[in-house]
Amino acid sequence: MSDSSAQPGELIAAVDLGSNSFHMVIAREFHGEFRTLERRGQKVQLAAGLDDEFMLSEEAQQRGLDCLREFGQHLQGMDSTRVTVLATNALRAARNRQDFIDRAEAVLGYPIEVIAGREEARLIYLGVAHTLADDVGNRLVVDIGGGSTEFIIGERFEPKALESLHMGCVSFTRRFFADGQITEAAFERAVAAARQELLHIETDYKHLGWQNVVGSSGTIRAVEQSVVEFGWSTEGITRQALKKLRKQTLQFETLDDVVLPGVKVERRQVFIGGLAILTAVFDTFDIEHMVYSDGALREGALWDLFGRSSHEDVRQRTVRSLQERFYIDEAQSARVSDMARALFLQVYQDLGLEESQVRWLLWGAELHEIGLSLSHSGFHKHGAYLLQHADMLGFTRQGQAKLAALVRCHRRKFNLGEFATLSPESRAFVIQLTRLLRIAVILNHGRGAHPVPVPELKIIAGDHDSLSLTLPAGWLAGHSLTAGDLMAEVDYQKAAGMTLTVE
């Protein structure tokens, strides 16, 4: 997601690269709300293009590229910091996702970021919460996507439990109705498989409890429209109406035969899989009534992007939570953060960095010792692994990769190969931030045992790869250990093809 926050009156856009459909919404902030200006959606069925080796087929990629080429025309000219493009389960699973992402970014004109399942759930809840009354009491939110289904329990705008399970309308239709035939036995197997998945969260979710149930996205919208048009419900989905729809659907012999009011032609091919999952959800959680919400991932992404201008950034809360969970020395991380910020402010403009990018440096400083909770030996490597693979709400997979690279390279050998997985644009600025973090860590090796002055830092002769560090006269002579560490750092940066001079 973008590092910047939307300001009132500016255009803002979110694109959701779902496993079944791609969606785009363009809006303008108006008196604390969003006024939607453009909304587009197209069935792409990216998940249907995954083979047994989790490789995305060329045909599926082309469907996605054609859709994004059209979206790009609508987004053309928008500030890139006001556009967020998020990919979900299909691209989480695809082994060749980077190949598709590179091609997709070229036609769309904006960076694409892959989000983890729990982050997808958080954004879905945020989108749903903004469409509902601000009532007190827990609500259960269910979102059936093409490759995954998200479950959230929250109150008002605050999620309390987040989960993403590996079942979706596309994947279940392919798995249980691969021959295109609809049978009651296949449907029962699909329901049983979904209930098996739900066992992972059933106890905890029932313990938390809820006062009402909300569904979002295509499958649930189609089911609600169908039962209402049949006259089985006046609003939302009831248990009895769902049973009648199930009976009606099982009368069709093939996926192509599915003709139901409210079910669009493009959804017929995957409707049966989504219906089986929804049936299992109703059965597992003893649901009697579910209402539908228009809010979904893309709306949540808009609110998340805009909300950073006036509310707490959820990423900062995630960082604080990790500090507590892994017993990070917060006093030391604060010392390193303060020094890193001071260094950044001296050179960011000369290095061609954006002021907003300092947040990555500060998060890296606050988490650089996270690996110590596992082992002191190679703790920078352990820390990078944790940050790469942990569920970090608010962060995309690419964002976690930035933090992992910062932490992995904050000490010892400065291996530029650790930045290879980042996009060229991200790689350039994260490497520069890592240089600043390394210096800030070295200057604070004493962990507060003595005051540390903020040195003067500048680039040399306009060369971004050459830095000059100047400390007060005589300070290095009185702090020989720090002086030795800085001299070693000169050699580390030289080996990486960069210059650091220390005076």
Side-chain angles (χ1 to χ4, degrees):
M1 277 173 263
S2 167
D3 291 334
S4 299
S5 302
Q7 300 301 318
E10 289 185 312
L11 287 180
I12 187 170
V15 180
D16 166 15
L17 309 187
S19 299
N20 186 49
S21 303
F22 286 4
H23 293 273
M24 176 192 70
V25 59
I26 301 175
R28 189 188 303 276
E29 190 274 338
F30 186 75
H31 293 313
E33 297 291 336
F34 283 121
R35 177 171 291 176
T36 300
L37 304 178
E38 186 76 36
R39 187 184 295 273
R40 297 270 172 166
Q42 189 170 318
K43 177 185 173 185
V44 173
Q45 283 201 312
L46 208 60
L50 287 171
D51 63 19
D52 293 340
E53 301 298 322
F54 292 98
M55 297 295 287
L56 198 58
S57 70
E58 178 61 26
E59 182 181 2
Q61 291 190 52
Q62 283 298 332
R63 291 197 299 268
L65 294 174
D66 290 343
C67 175
L68 294 179
R69 193 172 288 110
E70 179 183 324
F71 284 3
Q73 295 173 7
H74 294 279
L75 298 171
Q76 191 172 17
M78 285 188 63
D79 184 343
S80 62
T81 65
R82 307 292 183 245
V83 179
T84 183
V85 187
L86 305 177
T88 58
N89 186 263
L91 286 180
R92 285 198 292 268
R95 292 172 55 196
N96 58 337
R97 60 178 170 270
Q98 195 57 50
D99 293 338
F100 174 75
I101 288 173
D102 291 343
R103 298 168 69 186
E105 289 180 341
V107 301
L108 184 63
Y110 297 90
I112 296 171
E113 298 186 278
V114 181
I115 56 175
R118 294 184 73 240
E119 172 64 2
E120 182 179 354
R122 183 187 73 85
L123 292 174
I124 287 168
Y125 183 78
L126 188 58
V128 168
H130 276 280
T131 68
L132 302 174
D134 193 14
D135 295 331
V136 175
N138 287 351
R139 60 171 67 102
L140 170 66
V141 175
V142 181
D143 184 291
I144 301 174
S148 64
T149 298
E150 281 64 50
F151 298 86
I152 311 97
I153 292 179
E155 183 175 14
R156 307 179 79 174
F157 296 103
E158 191 68 26
K160 297 181 178 180
L162 299 160
E163 194 56 73
S164 178
L165 300 183
H166 295 292
M167 55 184 187
C169 62
V170 176
S171 59
F172 260 47
T173 300
R174 289 184 63 197
R175 178 178 170 187
F176 296 100
F177 307 93
D179 59 359
Q181 300 296 308
I182 297 176
T183 66
E184 187 162 356
F187 189 86
E188 289 299 331
R189 287 195 297 272
V191 172
R195 293 203 64 172
Q196 186 70 29
E197 286 290 324
L198 288 164
L199 285 176
H200 298 294
I201 65 171
E202 181 180 2
T203 301
D204 290 343
Y205 273 52
K206 285 183 175 179
H207 178 73
L208 276 174
W210 54 83
Q211 281 67 56
N212 52 75
V213 183
V214 184
S216 65
S217 291
T219 290
I220 294 174
R221 179 178 64 245
V223 169
E224 188 208 36
Q225 290 176 344
S226 190
V227 298
V228 168
E229 291 196 34
F230 270 122
W232 299 331
S233 173
T234 57
E235 181 183 6
I237 306 165
T238 65
R239 178 184 289 272
Q240 288 303 315
L242 185 62
K243 287 182 178 179
K244 291 179 180 179
L245 184 63
R246 166 183 170 167
K247 181 178 180 180
Q248 183 74 23
T249 305
L250 289 179
Q251 293 179 1
F252 299 111
E253 293 186 1
T254 71
L255 300 180
D256 291 330
D257 295 334
V258 176
V259 179
L260 294 166
V263 179
K264 297 178 181 179
V265 174
E266 59 267 25
R267 183 158 292 277
R268 292 177 185 173
Q269 287 288 324
V270 298
F271 181 75
I272 190 72
L275 184 63
I277 293 171
L278 187 61
T279 299
V281 171
F282 265 71
D283 291 346
T284 300
F285 293 123
D286 302 316
I287 296 171
E288 293 296 333
H289 185 253
M290 172 186 285
V291 298
Y292 170 72
S293 166
D294 279 327
L297 172 63
R298 52 201 169 274
E299 287 79 19
L302 284 180
W303 281 109
D304 193 59
L305 187 60
F306 181 77
R308 292 176 186 173
S309 66
S310 56
H311 303 294
E312 180 186 34
D313 189 336
V314 68
R315 294 176 295 183
Q316 188 59 52
R317 185 165 43 179
T318 295
V319 169
R320 286 201 301 270
S321 175
L322 287 173
Q323 287 183 311
E324 295 174 1
R325 179 180 175 185
F326 291 97
Y327 305 103
I328 292 174
D329 183 342
E330 294 187 31
Q332 175 65 2
S333 68
R335 284 188 286 268
V336 174
S337 296
D338 291 343
M339 180 62 72
R341 184 197 297 272
L343 296 174
F344 176 89
L345 292 176
Q346 293 182 62
V347 296
Y348 80 90
Q349 291 177 319
D350 291 335
L351 289 175
L353 302 176
E354 298 176 10
E355 188 174 3
S356 63
Q357 289 170 338
V358 72
R359 71 187 68 194
W360 294 102
L361 176 60
L362 300 182
W363 288 329
E366 290 165 350
L367 296 172
H368 76 281
E369 291 188 331
I370 188 172
L372 283 173
S373 62
L374 301 181
S375 171
H376 184 274
S377 176
F379 73 86
H380 54 304
K381 299 176 184 178
H382 302 314
Y385 182 86
L386 288 171
L387 294 174
Q388 182 70 67
H389 298 285
D391 281 332
M392 296 179 61
L393 298 184
F395 288 93
T396 64
R397 287 304 189 194
Q398 287 90 334
Q400 290 184 226
K402 293 174 190 175
L403 285 181
L406 270 166
V407 170
R408 174 65 176 81
C409 295
H410 87 268
R411 66 193 289 263
R412 302 287 177 84
K413 183 180 178 181
F414 199 164
N415 184 3
L416 298 184
E418 298 293 339
F419 302 89
T421 59
L422 304 181
S423 68
E425 181 184 62
S426 295
R427 188 182 310 140
F429 89 79
V430 175
I431 288 174
Q432 295 296 350
L433 295 184
T434 303
R435 298 179 75 190
L436 304 182
L437 178 59
R438 290 172 68 93
I439 295 170
V441 169
I442 290 171
L443 291 172
N444 285 281
H445 272 175
R447 309 186 77 86
H450 51 76
V452 180
V454 175
E456 179 186 358
L457 184 66
K458 58 184 179 182
I459 68 171
I460 302 173
D463 182 1
H464 289 184
D465 289 334
S466 298
L467 291 176
S468 170
L469 188 75
T470 304
L471 285 142
W475 193 87
L476 287 175
H479 299 83
S480 58
L481 290 178
T482 301
D485 287 340
L486 286 172
M487 290 306 103
E489 179 62 14
V490 169
D491 292 336
Y492 281 132
Q493 296 211 16
K494 182 178 180 180
M498 295 174 284
T499 299
L500 174 66
T501 63
V502 179
E503 299 176 3

